[in-house]
Amino acid sequence: MRTLNSSNTLSSTFYLSGIPGYEEFHHWISIPFCLLYLVGIMGNCTILHIVRTDPRLHQPMYYFLAMLSLTDMGMSMPTMISLFRVLWSISREIQFSTCVVQMFFIHTFSFTESSVLLAMAFDRYVAICHPLRYATILTPRLIMKIGIAALLRSACAMIPLLARLAFFPFCHSHILSHSYCLHQDMIRLACADTLFNVIYGLLLISVLWGMDSLGIFVSYVYILNSVLKIASREGRLKALNTCASHICAVLILYVPMMGLSIVHRFAKHSSPLIHIFMAHIYLLVPPVLNPIIYSVKTKQIRQGVLYLLLRTKISSTMM
């Protein structure tokens, strides 16, 4: 019977939702989403291009920034096709297997981004507290290991959670509350004991996000302690200014992330618009804002963007 249920689940079709009550405006609503995705993709691709092509940016801080751009795109891009299929009235259907793959990428890269932010906090700690040993501690080999470990940790942690979904019967509604698949949304539709998924999901959030946020907090305690020992006010401000972009990136990820988790678990009967609004903020705000923040607050990235724009303008003028 369990095998039969698994087979039925794997072949199940689910139905994505747009924005309830505003179906006639979906085509218009798709315009700001198009702009947000375009800004996010162009911004992160620009960061990646600048870090790759500018030898001055071949430093640990910018390698971690490139990782952040990759995880931003990995978290938001899987939702793009299904979102526009719904908003453009192409199709609301999504197969269970496609849904699981989409969930895997969204949640894996979400946890990976948290790990990358922890690595960036460690980078700032070493740069400020141990500046003379910065290059010897954060070698390219270590940075590569950190990136691979962050991705593997997140991916392996998600496998048990998503694998169990194949054995759940979905005998009630197959209508999801978003235009893409989230684990919290999927288990709500299962007519089976989902206690393991609920507890395991809470443990994942508590352990992975908890460890990362604790590591970030401890790093900044040491950073602040070191900064307060700097004699000049200008020196203290300069040191803290190098952390401003990272602090913004942390808040941009963690605040919507915690908000979405709270809404899904403790405000199940609230307006669907609240769930949809929080989910879109969680997935779209970090990829859109992170490149803008780092371009504005980081001199080297800002110079790289200006050089890229000026070079493109000169090339088009010569043609």
Side-chain angles (χ1 to χ4, degrees), residues 129-150:
C129 300
H130 305 283
L132 299 179
R133 299 172 56 199
Y134 182 63
T136 56
I137 293 175
L138 288 170
T139 61
R141 186 180 180 85
L142 178 62
I143 293 167
M144 185 174 65
K145 286 181 178 179
I146 290 172
I148 293 171

Side-chain angles (χ1 to χ4, degrees), residues 147-188:
I148 293 171
L151 183 60
L152 288 178
R153 184 191 76 157
S154 305
C156 292
M158 285 305 302
I159 290 172
L161 200 65
L162 300 182
R164 275 186 58 85
L165 290 176
F167 299 99
F168 287 162
F170 296 91
C171 52
H172 299 307
S173 171
H174 280 214
I175 300 174
L176 298 166
S177 59
H178 300 291
S179 50
Y180 38 81
C181 301
L182 294 174
H183 175 261
Q184 305 98 306
D185 199 18
M186 181 69 79
I187 60 171
R188 181 179 57 84

Side-chain angles (χ1 to χ4, degrees), residues 2-275:
R2 179 172 287 250
T3 305
L4 181 61
N5 285 341
S6 176
S7 176
N8 290 338
T9 301
L10 292 172
S11 61
S12 292
T13 300
F14 290 84
Y15 299 90
L16 301 167
S17 299
I19 301 178
Y22 296 88
E23 286 79 6
E24 65 271 25
F25 301 111
H26 275 179
H27 285 81
W28 293 105
I29 292 170
S30 70
I31 295 173
F33 279 110
C34 278
L35 293 174
L36 286 172
Y37 274 107
L38 187 63
V39 169
I41 292 168
M42 288 182 63
N44 285 293
C45 286
T46 301
I47 294 287
L48 290 169
H49 177 73
I50 291 169
V51 172
R52 186 180 67 86
T53 56
D54 191 341
R56 296 173 302 170
L57 302 184
H58 294 175
Q59 299 176 33
M61 175 183 174
Y62 303 106
Y63 289 143
F64 287 126
L65 179 57
M67 286 185 199
L68 185 67
S69 292
L70 286 171
T71 55
D72 273 336
M73 290 196 292
M75 190 169 70
S76 63
M77 289 290 285
T79 67
M80 186 171 64
I81 295 174
S82 62
L83 172 64
F84 289 120
R85 278 168 62 87
V86 172
L87 293 181
W88 292 341
S89 304
I90 298 171
S91 175
R92 292 176 54 216
E93 295 183 358
I94 186 168
Q95 296 299 313
F96 174 80
S97 54
T98 307
C99 206
V100 169
V101 171
Q102 191 178 59
M103 280 188 284
F104 177 78
F105 280 108
I106 292 171
H107 294 299
T108 294
F109 280 106
S110 173
F111 286 126
T112 303
E113 180 153 346
S114 177
S115 301
V116 170
L117 289 173
L118 171 61
M120 295 174 83
F122 178 68
D123 167 79
R124 292 297 83 210
Y125 160 74
V126 176
I128 292 172
C129 300
H130 305 283
L132 299 179
R133 299 172 56 199
Y134 182 63
T136 56
I137 293 175
L138 288 170
T139 61
R141 186 180 180 85
L142 178 62
I143 293 167
M144 185 174 65
K145 286 181 178 179
I146 290 172
I148 293 171
L151 183 60
L152 288 178
R153 184 191 76 157
S154 305
C156 292
M158 285 305 302
I159 290 172
L161 200 65
L162 300 182
R164 275 186 58 85
L165 290 176
F167 299 99
F168 287 162
F170 296 91
C171 52
H172 299 307
S173 171
H174 280 214
I175 300 174
L176 298 166
S177 59
H178 300 291
S179 50
Y180 38 81
C181 301
L182 294 174
H183 175 261
Q184 305 98 306
D185 199 18
M186 181 69 79
I187 60 171
R188 181 179 57 84
L189 303 179
C191 47
D193 183 8
T194 59
L195 184 62
F196 172 82
N197 283 58
V198 172
I199 293 175
Y200 186 85
L202 287 171
L203 282 174
L204 273 188
I205 292 170
S206 303
V207 173
L208 297 187
W209 290 350
M211 286 175 58
D212 292 343
S213 56
L214 179 63
I216 292 169
F217 175 75
V218 170
S219 296
Y220 275 102
V221 168
Y222 281 105
I223 288 169
L224 191 59
N225 183 55
S226 181
V227 167
L228 291 176
K229 293 178 181 177
I230 299 173
S232 68
R233 183 173 178 272
E234 287 184 4
R236 291 196 296 271
L237 290 175
K238 185 178 179 181
L240 288 173
N241 190 53
T242 64
C243 302
S245 301
H246 178 257
I247 293 170
C248 289
V250 170
L251 293 175
I252 286 169
L253 177 70
Y254 279 102
V255 172
M257 189 185 285
M258 290 186 292
L260 182 63
S261 297
I262 291 168
V263 165
H264 268 289
R265 284 173 173 81
F266 304 110
K268 295 178 181 178
H269 303 294
S270 60
S271 170
L273 291 177
I274 295 175
H275 292 256

Side-chain angles (χ1 to χ4, degrees), residues 276-319:
I276 292 166
F277 180 69
M278 290 300 300
H280 285 307
I281 287 179
Y282 162 61
L283 290 173
L284 284 177
V285 168
V288 171
L289 290 187
N290 280 337
I292 295 172
I293 289 168
Y294 273 93
S295 297
V296 171
K297 296 294 293 180
T298 308
K299 180 181 177 182
Q300 291 82 350
I301 296 294
R302 186 168 63 249
Q303 289 175 342
V305 172
L306 291 173
Y307 175 75
L308 185 63
L309 292 173
L310 290 173
R311 188 176 63 179
T312 305
K313 185 176 181 180
I314 292 169
S315 299
S316 62
T317 305
M318 291 179 65
M319 290 176 66

